[in-house]
Amino acid sequence: MTYCVGLHLREGLVLLSDTRTNAGVDNISVFSKMQVEEVPGERVLAVLSAGNLAVTQAVWNRLQEGVQLDGTRQTLRSVPNMFRAAQLVGQAVRDVYAADGPALKAQGIGFDISLMLGGQIAGEAPRLFLIYAAGNFIEATADTPFLQIGEHKYGKPILDRVVKHDTPVADGVKLVLISMDSTLRSNLTVGMPIDLLVYRADSLSVTLRKRITEENAYFRSIREGWSAALRQAYLEMPRPDWVP
Amino acid sequence: MTYCVGLHLREGLVLLSDTRTNAGVDNISVFSKMQVEEVPGERVLAVLSAGNLAVTQAVWNRLQEGVQLDGTRQTLRSVPNMFRAAQLVGQAVRDVYAADGPALKAQGIGFDISLMLGGQIAGEAPRLFLIYAAGNFIEATADTPFLQIGEHKYGKPILDRVVKHDTPVADGVKLVLISMDSTLRSNLTVGMPIDLLVYRADSLSVTLRKRITEENAYFRSIREGWSAALRQAYLEMPRPDWVP
């Protein structure tokens, strides 16, 4: 599996993905699940993916080669806005399904992928989308300013409680790392290193792109600090004095 | 869905289950998922269930009626030890599968249930089992002193970090309520009220059985306190000063 989380904040976007892929428990590899297209001054788009690696890589390859949309071959570098970019990713998913779906089905393999697309194209605000295996999509809004794909449950309680649209970007980075840590701690199919992308609104260039390894001092402080803080919070909750 | 969690502690057992069942989002009901058999001075057994309600109720009905095991009809009140009790529950699951499995399959409905069995029968220590849809089972040990069925992911990070075999029973109650709260907060298919059972080792009678509602003052203090503590812990984590 995979865990990817994206925050759609007033100050910009924070995207985080793990890198573990596995075909059975004895075949584990590191693959980045975050692909970035950048035309400084004009656009930054990032695609995060979860699910069957052959399928998600096929989607990415098609996106780079160009996908038919509105009667012409387009890429993430040519689409005029983020809505068209989300449609393009969805169309790439549908094209892969048309090409590979029957053969996958014949082998009993589901077409279970999902993607996240975040970024900004000059002329509109940053946007963040979740694209389903059917090629349709939803968009994060100020009401629910985060999206997740893959193993999303372990890391959701902290997001549900804390993230707001006006959370500062730096706090958002802290938050997605805590959310990722909870997932890493409880699920073996999500693994280090992790890829972080920070995009400040209207900068139209990548603010920060960073691979975080086990040795990263900040992430270690989060891991150790968060575990200690959870244990401490648990200790400080009142004890049920009504239990005989 | 459902969330049930059981702790196998040195001092005894702590079992907690929610009560929500749903057939679609517009058909939500309250059903207890915890059934208890008690013969004071001799045995206490509790069965918690997750999955298709018709199937889990059928399992419970068969257990009460008696299930063939070792060539004779037995119930949870007649089996000589906890291993046989787990076998009996497993056999009841297999009997229901034999009776209803084909008809369920014809309707495209999976036989996706799981059960937890905890308790003590005089002559051996308390034990806690998780019984699968195949009727086989695993047992909690001192190394991993908790078991979960149903929507287990949201409430797992705190268990992974805190629970030990020598956690006192009162702390165990606090812990399962925190774990349940995280699940309730993030997943609509798990709902209040919740059923708690505490069993102190070697007492051979139910120590505490309690239905906890929204109005329960202690659970409210956990809900509010835990959310506040998580937010506080997040605030106290260092901010990443390396984010531009």
Side-chain angles (χ1 to χ4, degrees):
Chain A
M1 272 295 261
T2 288
Y3 179 49
C4 301
V5 52
L7 307 184
H8 171 59
L9 307 174
R10 195 178 307 278
E11 286 185 3
L13 302 172
V14 177
L15 305 172
L16 187 71
S17 58
D18 84 311
T19 56
R20 181 159 293 176
T21 69
N22 67 303
V25 290
D26 57 351
N27 188 355
I28 291 176
S29 315
V30 174
F31 282 90
S32 177
K33 300 163 188 173
M34 182 187 290
Q35 308 290 341
V36 181
E37 290 282 12
E38 181 184 22
V39 182
E42 187 201 288
R43 70 183 64 205
V44 171
L45 295 102
V47 177
L48 287 69
S49 54
N52 186 305
L53 184 66
V55 173
T56 59
Q57 285 191 344
V59 169
W60 182 246
N61 280 317
R62 280 173 186 265
L63 282 172
Q64 292 197 288
E65 205 176 270
V67 173
Q68 286 289 329
L69 187 72
D70 299 332
T72 169
R73 183 178 293 264
Q74 299 199 52
T75 69
L76 291 175
R77 300 173 85 88
S78 72
V79 287
N81 55 53
M82 287 298 294
F83 176 65
R84 280 283 182 280
Q87 283 187 313
L88 194 77
V89 175
Q91 189 57 49
V93 172
R94 289 173 183 170
D95 290 352
V96 173
Y97 183 73
D100 298 347
L104 288 169
K105 192 169 181 180
Q107 301 298 327
I109 298 169
F111 191 81
D112 57 340
I113 64 155
S114 50
L115 299 119
M116 217 187 294
L117 168 73
Q120 183 173 24
I121 295 175
E124 60 172 19
R127 298 173 74 174
L128 178 65
F129 297 90
L130 191 166
I131 297 112
Y132 297 105
N136 61 341
F137 46 86
I138 60 169
E139 180 176 5
T141 64
D143 286 328
T144 300
F146 68 91
L147 294 174
Q148 304 170 288
I149 54 176
E151 277 289 351
H152 64 283
K153 295 185 181 182
Y154 306 100
K156 190 164 184 281
I158 184 64
L159 298 173
D160 277 333
R161 285 181 169 97
V162 172
V163 67
K164 301 272 185 303
H165 187 53
D166 54 8
T167 297
V169 155
D171 286 340
V173 169
K174 180 165 78 169
L175 195 54
V176 295
L177 291 175
I178 291 172
S179 178
M180 178 63 79
D181 176 51
S182 291
T183 313
L184 290 163
R185 177 76 180 74
S186 291
N187 192 301
L188 272 186
T189 69
V190 178
M192 297 286 291
I194 50 185
D195 290 325
L196 173 69
L197 186 138
V198 176
Y199 173 73
R200 286 210 173 257
D202 303 329
S203 66
L204 295 170
S205 68
V206 172
T207 307
L208 176 70
R209 190 177 179 187
K210 190 176 174 66
R211 171 152 290 190
I212 296 171
T213 65
E214 299 274 9
E215 285 71 43
N216 181 282
Y218 180 75
F219 187 59
R220 288 172 74 133
S221 74
I222 289 285
R223 297 201 93 163
E224 288 153 23
W226 187 247
S227 276
L230 280 188
R231 278 191 291 264
Q232 191 58 33
Y234 151 76
L235 288 173
E236 284 170 9
M237 290 290 110
R239 241 188 163 191
D241 52 16
W242 41 268
V243 173
Chain B
M1 273 294 264
T2 289
Y3 181 47
C4 302
V5 52
L7 307 185
H8 171 58
L9 308 174
R10 194 178 306 278
E11 286 186 2
L13 301 173
V14 177
L15 305 172
L16 187 71
S17 58
D18 85 310
T19 57
R20 181 160 293 175
T21 69
N22 68 302
V25 289
D26 57 352
N27 188 355
I28 290 176
S29 314
V30 173
F31 281 90
S32 177
K33 299 163 189 174
M34 182 188 290
Q35 307 291 340
V36 182
E37 291 281 13
E38 182 183 23
V39 182
E42 186 200 289
R43 70 182 63 203
V44 170
L45 294 102
V47 177
L48 287 70
S49 54
N52 186 306
L53 184 65
V55 173
T56 59
Q57 286 193 343
V59 168
W60 182 247
N61 280 316
R62 279 174 186 265
L63 282 171
Q64 293 198 286
E65 205 176 270
V67 172
Q68 285 290 329
L69 188 72
D70 300 331
T72 169
R73 183 178 293 264
Q74 298 200 52
T75 70
L76 291 176
R77 299 173 85 87
S78 71
V79 286
N81 55 53
M82 288 298 294
F83 177 65
R84 281 283 181 279
Q87 283 188 313
L88 194 77
V89 175
Q91 188 57 49
V93 172
R94 289 173 183 171
D95 289 353
V96 173
Y97 183 73
D100 298 348
L104 287 169
K105 193 170 181 180
Q107 300 298 327
I109 299 169
F111 191 81
D112 56 339
I113 64 155
S114 50
L115 299 118
M116 217 187 293
L117 168 73
Q120 183 174 22
I121 294 176
E124 60 172 19
R127 299 173 74 173
L128 178 66
F129 297 89
L130 192 166
I131 297 110
Y132 297 104
N136 60 342
F137 48 85
I138 59 169
E139 181 176 5
T141 64
D143 286 329
T144 301
F146 68 90
L147 293 175
Q148 303 170 289
I149 54 177
E151 277 290 352
H152 65 282
K153 296 184 181 183
Y154 305 101
K156 190 163 183 284
I158 184 64
L159 296 173
D160 277 333
R161 286 183 168 96
V162 172
V163 67
K164 301 273 185 301
H165 187 52
D166 54 8
T167 298
V169 154
D171 286 340
V173 169
K174 180 165 79 168
L175 195 53
V176 295
L177 291 175
I178 291 171
S179 178
M180 178 63 78
D181 176 51
S182 291
T183 313
L184 290 164
R185 178 75 181 74
S186 292
N187 191 302
L188 272 186
T189 70
V190 178
M192 297 286 290
I194 50 184
D195 290 325
L196 172 69
L197 186 138
V198 176
Y199 173 73
R200 286 211 174 257
D202 303 328
S203 66
L204 296 170
S205 67
V206 171
T207 306
L208 177 70
R209 190 176 179 187
K210 191 176 174 65
R211 171 152 290 190
I212 295 171
T213 67
E214 299 273 8
E215 286 70 42
N216 181 281
Y218 179 75
F219 187 61
R220 287 172 74 133
S221 75
I222 289 285
R223 297 202 92 162
E224 288 153 24
W226 187 248
S227 277
L230 280 189
R231 279 191 291 267
Q232 191 59 32
Y234 151 76
L235 288 173
E236 284 171 10
M237 290 290 109
R239 241 187 164 192
D241 53 15
W242 41 268
V243 174

